[in-house]
Amino acid sequence: MTHSTLGSAPAARRGPAGRGALVIGGGLAGTAAALELADAGLRVTLVEGRPRLGGLAFSFHRSSPAGELTVDNGQHVHLRCCTAYQWFLDRVGAARLAPLQGRLDIPVLDAQGRGGRRLGRLRRTALPVPLHLSRSLATYPHLSLAERAQVGRAALALGRLDPQDPALDGVDFAGWLRRHGQSPRAVEALWDLVGVATLNATAPNASLGLAAMVFKTGLLSRPDAADIGWARAPLGELHHTHAHRALDAAGVTTELRTRVTAVTRTPEGRWSVAMAGRPGEEPPAEADVLVLAVPQREAHALLPDGALKDPGKLLRIGTAPILNLHVIYDRTVLRRPFFAALGSPVQWVFDRTDASGLRAAPGAGDSQYLAVSQSAAYDDIDRPVAELRDRYLPELERLLPVARGAEVRDFFVTRERTATFAPVPGVGLLRPSAPTDAPGLYLAGAWTATGWPATMEGAVRSGLSAARAALGHLGRPHVNSLPAPGGETPKEAA
């Protein structure tokens, strides 16, 4: 994908006076929807209650003993198959800040390997699917020869499933793996290694439909589909600074620190939104179409009567936590950008030294900043910082022997108790599509029926889906922004 500049966005074709759209929520879903609507020529206003864009993928500043840091609230990654998120990065001019690996390569450290700590790697070759992973699987040291063979057979069976089959939604992934000969070790060392990070759930708590979607799309669709990308700059630079600039360039009016208190329909059939935080006694804003790109409980509170047949379903979509531990050592203890761990409560560890600005901080010296990302962290999400420190620092020393003699210059924690929706069996029946039963009102958010789990990709896809549905309602022709399979030219849709 080529990197666009902010000036490369389509020139806005403004509609007649009074025609426009309101987008409530400035996360990835809302920002994507606002850009798509503006690029189609609508006058768009985006409203966000926080002082920043980016939703739950954001950054903040911290004065640390090691220096001034810019900290991401959590470690986020994307894959090459995440075409919507890559579209978003390109559209806001930030693609160069979150490059992809040239080829999938995941170092996997087993803290309890035979004879001590052991390193394995999950790597792909340039061979076609499924041969692209065969060499890596054949030499993966964390599984026995028999377990590797069983994994291969299960992968082929998974590839034959249709993730869109409604019957898969009610089946738990762990049960399916068990029926296909997967040992507890295989689940830990491969299926949950990938699944927990992408689904934010262990196999017993994951819908087979969503798990099949993740593994089919990421590992069994194209050889390069699972190549990993992550931000080499603070997320706030991508999702707020660059996104805000792109919205401005597209003609979107962005109102931050503005909370929506009510959504109503006018007698003329337009949408009226009352807001707190606007200066003075401004009247409610009105628009022809409205996109609610907020979390499911907030959407439930704002939905007018009759918008959904069973709005209570939104309240039955559960949430799952993510915990991030931030550790700054006085020396370099990790010489690779990231690794995944087995035989330890530690899941994934990333080097954030450069991205946080620590490397350039006065007095930082050789300090290194590691972010430990813990998905589905139900057991740890409410533990006090001191307990987390006592629990995880010895684990990092087991995984990284150099850390045993290092001084910890800073240790802090970020918690997202409702980081994602919980992808439990049956959740697909609860996720609504973008259009509601109220004409001109649309839903967006990773929790809506995107077919994806709660990822940045799912969030962007939901925003684009809502925007396209809104444009269809207005009878406005628009161009499908997502790259088509095989790199074909996007087609205009009505």
Side-chain angles (χ1 to χ4, degrees):
M1 181 181 292
T2 56
H3 297 162
S4 69
T5 62
L6 292 172
S8 68
R13 302 184 301 277
R14 298 290 167 228
R19 303 282 285 179
L22 272 166
V23 178
I24 311 304
L28 296 181
T31 303
L35 288 169
E36 188 80 343
L37 291 167
D39 289 347
L42 269 66
R43 296 185 302 105
V44 181
T45 297
L46 184 151
V47 180
E48 167 57 52
R50 300 180 180 92
R52 52 162 179 77
L53 302 170
L56 292 182
F58 67 94
S59 306
F60 61 92
H61 296 290
R62 176 180 173 86
S63 295
S64 165
E68 295 297 315
L69 305 177
T70 303
V71 177
D72 290 347
N73 71 312
Q75 179 62 50
H76 291 70
V77 302
H78 62 286
L79 307 180
R80 195 179 297 277
C81 63
C82 296
T83 54
Y85 182 63
Q86 291 184 72
W87 168 87
F88 177 87
L89 291 176
D90 196 60
R91 177 64 184 80
V92 304
R96 62 182 175 78
L97 300 178
L100 291 150
Q101 289 177 315
R103 188 168 290 185
L104 173 69
D105 185 358
I106 304 175
V108 184
L109 274 172
D110 185 358
Q112 298 177 339
R114 286 172 300 200
R117 190 182 70 118
R118 191 171 191 184
L119 175 66
R121 304 187 90 93
L122 291 172
R123 292 185 279 198
R124 74 167 179 89
T125 66
L127 292 173
V129 172
L131 300 177
H132 66 310
L133 293 173
S134 58
R135 183 184 301 171
S136 177
L137 185 60
T139 58
Y140 191 51
H142 305 316
L143 297 177
S144 68
L145 185 60
E147 286 170 330
R148 293 176 215 160
Q150 287 285 67
V151 162
R153 284 191 282 271
L156 292 175
L158 196 64
R160 292 191 290 269
L161 297 178
D162 177 7
Q164 302 304 315
D165 181 354
L168 302 187
D169 176 52
V171 179
D172 71 277
F173 188 36
W176 186 91
L177 289 172
R178 206 163 40 245
R179 291 189 293 275
H180 286 77
Q182 301 307 287
S183 67
R185 175 61 174 177
V187 173
E188 177 198 12
L190 183 66
W191 300 107
D192 268 354
L193 184 82
V194 175
V196 170
T198 52
L199 295 163
N200 199 21
T202 54
N205 300 308
S207 154
L208 175 57
L210 285 172
M213 185 274 160
V214 164
F215 284 96
K216 278 196 72 168
T217 304
L219 295 178
L220 300 171
S221 61
R222 294 173 27 171
D224 63 352
D227 297 345
I228 299 174
W230 65 95
R232 308 306 203 271
L235 287 173
E237 189 172 337
L238 285 67
H239 299 160
H240 173 75
T241 304
H242 277 72
H244 204 321
R245 197 177 303 151
L247 290 166
D248 287 347
V252 175
T253 299
T254 303
E255 298 190 24
L256 302 177
R257 296 184 175 88
T258 305
R259 183 173 57 87
V260 173
T261 56
V263 170
T264 56
R265 195 109 185 267
T266 70
E268 298 77 26
R270 305 184 79 221
W271 289 99
S272 175
V273 175
M275 297 180 243
R278 286 182 131 194
E281 297 295 327
E282 292 189 32
E286 290 189 7
D288 299 279
V289 292
L290 174 66
V291 177
L292 280 181
V294 294
Q296 59 266 34
R297 289 186 175 274
E298 190 175 339
H300 178 272
L302 291 173
L303 280 173
D305 291 342
L308 292 179
K309 288 185 176 63
D310 185 2
K313 284 184 177 181
L314 302 191
L315 301 180
R316 299 199 292 275
I317 300 174
T319 58
I322 295 178
L323 175 75
N324 278 265
L325 313 169
H326 307 264
V327 189
I328 300 179
Y329 291 100
D330 67 345
R331 67 194 68 177
T332 299
V333 300
L334 174 65
R335 297 196 178 278
R336 49 179 62 94
F338 69 91
F339 71 90
L342 300 175
S344 167
V346 170
Q347 294 176 10
W348 290 72
V349 179
F350 283 77
D351 180 2
R352 300 297 298 170
T353 309
D354 289 331
S356 66
L358 175 62
R359 187 84 67 193
D366 295 326
S367 294
Q368 185 175 36
Y369 170 10
L370 301 185
V372 182
S373 183
Q374 302 292 107
S375 299
Y378 296 95
D379 293 340
D380 284 339
I381 193 64
D382 290 318
R383 285 185 195 263
V385 173
E387 287 187 22
L388 291 170
R389 183 182 177 114
D390 290 343
R391 175 172 165 81
Y392 281 96
L393 288 182
E395 291 295 331
L396 287 171
E397 291 178 0
R398 280 207 303 152
L399 292 160
L400 303 170
V402 178
R404 292 170 191 166
E407 175 193 344
V408 175
R409 300 191 65 188
D410 199 5
F411 181 99
F412 58 99
V413 176
T414 52
R415 312 172 199 257
E416 293 294 345
R417 292 175 175 82
T418 59
T420 70
F421 73 84
V424 295
V427 72
L429 295 174
L430 305 176
R431 300 173 70 185
S433 58
T436 70
D437 294 334
L441 176 61
Y442 304 90
L443 299 176
W447 52 274
T448 61
T450 65
W452 284 71
T455 57
M456 297 189 296
E457 174 72 8
V460 174
R461 283 182 177 272
S462 76
L464 295 177
S465 294
R468 290 168 193 158
L471 291 169
H473 169 74
L474 294 175
R476 302 291 294 261
H478 59 287
V479 173
N480 184 346
S481 299
L482 288 181
E488 300 165 8
T489 303
K491 295 179 174 60
E492 189 171 272

